[in-house]
Amino acid sequence: MNDSAVIVVFVCNWDGLSCIEAAAQKRLTFPSSVKIIRVSCLSRIHTGLIMKAFELKAEGVMLLGCDTHNCHFGIEESLIDVNYRKALGMMRLLGINENRLSLVRLSHGDGAGFIKQITDFADQFSEIPT
Amino acid sequence: MDASVRIGVFICDCGLNIAGSVDTEAVTKYAETLPNVVVSVRNRYTCSDPGQQEVKKSIIANNVNRVVVASCTPRLHESTFRTCISEAGLNPYLLEMASLREHCSWVHLHDREMATKKAKDIVKIAVARAALLQPQTELEIPVTDAALVIGGGVAGIQAALDLADGGHQVYLVEEQPSIGGVMAALDKTFPTMDCSICVLGPKMMDVGRHPRIRLMAYSSIEQVSGYVGNFKVKVRRKARYVDETMCTACGKCAEACPVTLPDEFQQGFSTRKSIHIAFPQAVPSAYLIDMQHCMGNNPVACVKCVEACDKHCIDLNARDKIVELEVGSIIVATGMGIYDPTKLTEYGYGKFENVITTMEFERLICGGGPTEGHLVRPSDHKTPKRIGFIQCVGSRTDNRGNPYCSNVCCMNTVKDSLLILEHYPDTEIFVFYMDMRAFGKGFEDLLRRSKESGVHYVRGLPGEITEIAGTQNLCLKVENTTVSRLEEYPLDMVVLSVGLEPKAELKKLANILNLSQTSDGFLMEAHPKLRPVDAPTPGIFFAGCVEAPKDIKDSVTQAGAAAARSSILLNSGKIKNQAIKAQVLQNKCISCGACAKVCPYSAIKVDIKAKTGAQITAAACAGCGTCAAECRFGAITMQHFSDEQIISMISTALSEDPETKIISFLCNWCSYAGGDLAGTSRLQYPPNNRFIRTMCSGRVSEEFVMYAFEKGAPIVLVSGCHIGDCHYISANQQTKKRVERLWERMKKLGIRPERLQLEWISAAEGPRFAEIMRGLEEKRQKVTQEEIDYTRKVLAEQRIAKKASQKQMPE
Amino acid sequence: MYNLDKEIQDTRVRLCLDCGKCTVVCPVAQFDVNFNPRLIIQKRLNSKVFDIKDGAIWSCLSCHMCFERCNYRVKFPEFIIALRGEAVQEGARVMQSHGGVLQAAMHMMSRQELEQKRIDWLPEDIVLTEQSDTRFFVGCAPYFDVVFQDLGVNTLDGVISALRLLNKAQIPFNLLANERCCGRDLLLQGDKKGFLALAEANLHEFSRHGVKRIITYCPECYSCLKLEYPKALGNYEIQVVSLVELLAPLIKEKKIKLGNLTCKATYHDPCTLGRGARLFDEPRQILTGMEGLKLVEMEYNRERALCCGASPWAYCSAVNRQVQGQRLAQAKAVAAEILVTACPKCQIHLKCAQKSEGQQDGQIQIRDLATLAALSLKEVS
């Protein structure tokens, strides 16, 4: 497990956070270089925030939120999908490997799912070229 | 040593001014040892009565024929001592003054030994020049007792009347068909609210009637030649096609004329015929034909006017005539042009009918105007109820317009506002301004009256005017800067307070008269404070707006001044020209024309083809010496400040310890005066400098500078007036070119060009002079002996080579 | 970073006559009572009430209309930029629009080690001349199109059209694979450090590829590379030309023939191309080179053109929207079918404004100049 890559995880306060809390309750660990930033809903995360994270030298950015149709606020078409695509477009142009951005949708309380996702995500950074 | 030269040296103590820091006794004793000196006297106050008596006694007792007075600056007492020695029977030009005060004792207060050493040197240099002085006679030239006044506006009229009343013959040349100028077209004048043509009319009549004024209207100046006291002028009298002397201005011809044209006098608001009179009060009171728009000539297609004229004074075959005049002085009073605001598209002048200029407004409100004084607006001839005035149109700007303030527009608008309220008390008037300039007598009162009458003064210049379709009313947008708010003003009419500018044709006249224009395009005066109506060229004066924007009072004042100064010249009957003149040595002159090109006064004529030699008009020569310095063949010398004298001063200055001495060529009017000021201010600087005074920095030839280097000078300074301020108009431009050529030559010869310094120092720059002297000493200390030795060798070799090649030149 | 005394000297603000003409013609002052160019100068120079954190200084559009009319040519936009720089130095935080995504990208672009993939969009038919020392500077069009895809903005189309036109005119050029943002937007929002980083990165690219001449279509890049880079970097000898000044004479002299485009069009002068570079005639010559195109002028055109309300991706507010609304209304007033822009930012901002007005019948089409010219070419060949 790569535990030195600085990864920013934007997580929504509801289903998203529940996965992280579930993992913690089961004492499942993830690298300490992973920084969790909690927001009310992933729709809050616009492209600028994602790119700012990369500007500030994050190696990877994960967007962790609810399963589609499960949004706490009832938002059916989340802006995060558009912003995620825009961010990928920016990264493509900037020459930043697109694998550094990940949009993850998990069901409520899926602690193991979160751990798998974050570990796999972090592990790529020892191999990814730029 | 020329046995016939007997020099008397008079050293002055000047109380303690000189004696306090210089050992004058030692200097006096030293002077006795100098070549050609037969007597050396020390005086306490040489310029005083007993002092002068002593000088005269000494001259007579010792048969002295050249005098050196070593005291204060020549700029102070040269004329005093010239008079003194002439009373002792000597020609006044046989005097040389050495400044031991401003240039020695006062600036080296704390080093008596060095100051005394320098004083001795200064006296030695003066004695060397004195030995070469020659007697000179001042030229007396007769003055033609007549004056030419160019321009018949209020300034020209006033000047002509003053001169004629003073007993002189005056020729008044005016290019328009009538005199009167802009003032004749105004309605009222500020601050008195007098009717303009009412006060001007009688003066115009006086001019027309005056036995000593020959009025030539509808005429222009073709050519002017000559010099002060003796100008020859060619005037073109344009064909009027109407005999001025016979026309009674009955107007029948105009009634009959079929051609209708816009009337320029009424700003195009009404019409005139092809045959017309400029305006009813015109002087001369005669009609004229606008031949460009006449159908009567070539072939004869219409003779209606000829048939209508009872006095038979219309001649369609008239021709321009050239008249030649001889005058002693010329007054230029050609007046002003007016800024055309068409370029300011944001104001819509030319597009929006109800946006007009000041002059157009004057005609609309004037009783003699196209609407007989009923103020109506152009689009629908209705009386405007809301009128806006915009100030500073075309003035105080780098961006489409002129940078200066036009002087009269503020007060003119104030006057206009009161005029409108007089006739139409219910009108709302808004004046949009940046500053209201009410500086003259009665001006602030008038502004107060205007404000008290309810005229709104809004501080801000409008950025945009738009027209409302249909009504053709105007909407004016402005920031009211007093409250920092954007405001819109709906108005019926807007008057643009346009600025004054030089007439476009002024350049042509300036060329004819050889006059300079300032950067604003107006004519340049000899000195802005002390000689405001004199042109730099002697014998020519200015009056009115041709010199700068001004109101009627100032124009009249200036006209009086110009007439007075002109009178001084004409009254004297003859004038003495100072004897510092250029002289051509015809046997050396090859008629190359280089001298004529650089003379600021156009006083030299050279026929390059006929090779008759350069001819200098002595009366026109101002004595700057630029021609002498320019001549590569040594064919011009100055009668006073000859080449020999200057060379002698240089070699004397550098005869001992040359490496310790800096040679500075200073022009008489600015740099030397700056040095005097440094002295009077007691500013201290090192004593290594030796000054050589010339009248103009243009006198300093390349030969002088190279000679100084050849004799071992480590540093040489050439200094003159600031560019644009040269006492001899533009001679210092030649100085600049020469020094630049010298720098190139020095570089090629391997001599460091920094050893030749060029500075422009004005008479007011005392502290700067001292600072430059200190700087020069610092530079001198960095010059090595090897450099000096190398320079002397190289230049000596050059001189030998040049002499050898000259020997081979055909005579 | 900012020597305000020198800026005061260079911008000549002390010469301000306090006349207020600038305020009258300023597009922002029309709508924002708190923005007053004259007052900003007076406050900053002459009174103690000026607070460097004063929000007013962020509203300036740098449109240069004030400079155009000022009696003494006071460089007010440059003075505002200096004030912004001073504010940033004192810790003011710039309110970036669009989430600061463009600024983030610009900052990343200044990294020397960055290797972008920014010319994948290049169509195959565009001819590049490998040995040419002339490069076409693309600008941020590829990035704009990502960020503004929901506006239906296609600034890359303008770039591709520009390249096609250059090919047609047989002007040889190459592209720079690792071109950086010119940095003008960062300069305008007081981030001089960020701007200099980009400038140096670009200069590094130019030097290492032996670039002697740059052709660009974006007027902001043109102004920045031509005027700002020499000031900021010493030793900058690159010649910078605008596409329109290359093409217009060729079209006027009929050396290139454009095709047909029957429509009634009006041309929007970009502030930097028009008032900034004085290129008023050239774009118009290109437009009238298309047969069937009837060119009408809006009420405010050429030197008096109205800004599109663009900001340097910072402090975009209701006032900008009002300015844009005024411009669109002017286009509508002359009954034009097409509003032609020659600047990617004008295109983006006017389209954004149009979108917020909602779908309307007879809404004017906003099209790019080069795109139209290239389109007409297709019909010819």
Side-chain angles (χ1 to χ4, degrees), chain C residues 5 77 109 113 163 177 234 257 283 307 312 314 336 345-346 353 358 362:
Chain C
D5 283 334
M109 269 192 256
E113 70 278 8
L163 299 181
K257 195 160 181 329
C307 182
K345 291 183 77 178
C346 291

Side-chain angles (χ1 to χ4, degrees), chain C residues 171-311:
Chain C
I171 296 172
F173 64 91
N174 198 351
L175 292 178
L176 273 165
N178 206 5
E179 180 194 300
R180 320 305 176 104
C181 170
C182 68
R184 183 162 193 267
D185 290 320
L186 292 183
L187 181 65
L188 257 51
Q189 57 192 270
D191 183 0
K192 193 154 187 198
K193 199 157 143 245
F195 162 72
L196 282 174
L198 281 169
E200 273 159 20
N202 263 327
L203 186 64
H204 181 73
E205 293 295 327
F206 299 157
S207 308
R208 124 178 133 91
H209 288 108
V211 177
K212 294 235 172 58
R213 186 168 91 134
I214 288 178
I215 306 173
T216 181
Y217 180 42
C218 168
E220 312 247 313
C221 295
Y222 171 72
S223 161
C224 188
L225 295 170
K226 194 177 172 107
L227 301 172
E228 301 297 340
Y229 273 28
K231 271 197 274 183
L233 314 158
N235 230 351
Y236 181 81
E237 307 265 322
I238 298 178
Q239 193 202 14
V240 181
V241 283
S242 160
L243 180 84
V244 301
E245 59 184 338
L246 274 184
L247 290 182
L250 296 173
I251 289 170
K252 208 165 118 182
E253 292 157 25
K254 308 251 200 283
K255 294 208 176 111
I256 320 178
K257 195 160 181 329
L258 294 177
N260 261 339
L261 190 67
T262 311
C263 67
K264 193 169 168 201
T266 186
Y267 173 68
H268 166 80
D269 294 272
C271 298
T272 12
L273 195 67
R275 276 189 293 275
R278 315 312 288 184
L279 293 170
F280 302 108
D281 292 322
E282 287 78 352
R284 289 174 168 83
Q285 284 162 0
I286 297 175
L287 282 173
T288 49
M290 288 184 267
E291 271 216 51
L293 189 144
K294 178 157 184 273
L295 185 63
V296 292
E297 297 285 355
M298 289 182 273
E299 188 194 342
Y300 286 176
N301 60 71
R302 291 174 170 263
E303 297 89 354
R304 182 66 187 92
L306 180 62
C307 182
C308 71
S311 78

Side-chain angles (χ1 to χ4, degrees), chain B residues 335-338 402 404 500-504 506 517 520-522 545:
Chain B
M336 57 162 163
I338 298 175
N402 299 301
Y404 50 82
L500 276 52
E501 50 185 28
K503 281 195 161 119
L506 182 59
Q517 291 168 279
D520 293 341
F522 294 101
C545 290

Side-chain angles (χ1 to χ4, degrees), chain B residues 133-363:
Chain B
L133 289 172
Q134 295 298 321
Q136 307 290 347
T137 32
E138 283 181 344
L139 203 60
E140 231 177 47
I141 35 182
V143 168
T144 311
D145 188 2
L148 168 67
V149 177
I150 310 177
V154 65
I157 289 171
Q158 186 64 47
L161 286 172
D162 282 352
L163 278 168
D165 286 344
H168 302 288
Q169 172 66 38
V170 178
Y171 302 102
L172 178 51
V173 174
E174 163 60 50
E175 70 174 359
Q176 295 296 316
S178 166
I179 54 175
V182 170
M183 189 175 169
L186 298 175
D187 180 29
K188 302 276 198 298
T189 61
F190 59 80
T192 49
M193 310 286 278
D194 282 324
C195 158
S196 185
I197 193 60
C198 306
V199 297
L200 186 62
K203 281 201 193 280
M204 286 165 63
M205 300 287 291
D206 285 346
V207 166
R209 278 198 297 251
H210 205 294
R212 277 189 290 276
I213 299 180
R214 182 163 159 207
L215 173 57
M216 291 182 265
Y218 208 44
S219 305
S220 59
I221 305 288
E222 283 271 299
Q223 197 192 68
V224 174
S225 61
Y227 46 88
V228 56
N230 296 274
F231 292 108
K232 289 199 176 28
V233 184
K234 281 209 179 103
V235 177
R236 173 180 294 274
R237 305 221 52 196
K238 296 195 282 218
R240 287 181 96 109
Y241 306 95
V242 173
D243 187 337
E244 215 174 283
T245 56
M246 294 187 31
C247 175
T248 58
C250 69
K252 291 222 184 90
C253 52
E255 275 174 41
C257 177
V259 180
T260 307
L261 298 155
D263 186 349
E264 303 89 345
F265 184 75
Q266 304 290 14
Q267 296 289 319
F269 283 131
S270 60
T271 58
R272 60 163 173 86
K273 298 297 182 64
S274 168
I275 187 165
H276 66 286
I277 189 166
F279 49 93
Q281 306 92 333
V283 170
S285 181
Y287 275 62
L288 74 151
I289 298 181
D290 173 6
M291 194 40 81
Q292 262 201 327
H293 300 108
C294 169
M295 299 197 297
N297 239 352
N298 220 358
V300 173
C302 162
V303 283
K304 290 201 167 64
C305 55
V306 177
E307 286 162 1
C309 178
D310 289 335
K311 304 224 58 176
H312 307 296
C313 56
I314 300 178
D315 174 15
L316 293 176
N317 294 313
R319 289 252 178 296
D320 291 356
K321 283 207 202 60
I322 303 284
V323 171
E324 295 199 17
L325 307 170
E326 283 183 21
V327 297
S329 71
I330 300 177
I331 297 182
V332 183
T334 51
M336 57 162 163
I338 298 175
Y339 178 76
D340 176 2
T342 312
K343 277 197 288 278
L344 301 174
T345 51
E346 58 263 39
Y347 290 155
Y349 179 73
K351 248 184 11 181
F352 306 149
E353 274 193 81
N354 293 322
V355 174
I356 60 175
T357 62
T358 329
M359 288 310 290
E360 288 170 341
F361 174 80
E362 286 296 312
R363 294 320 299 161

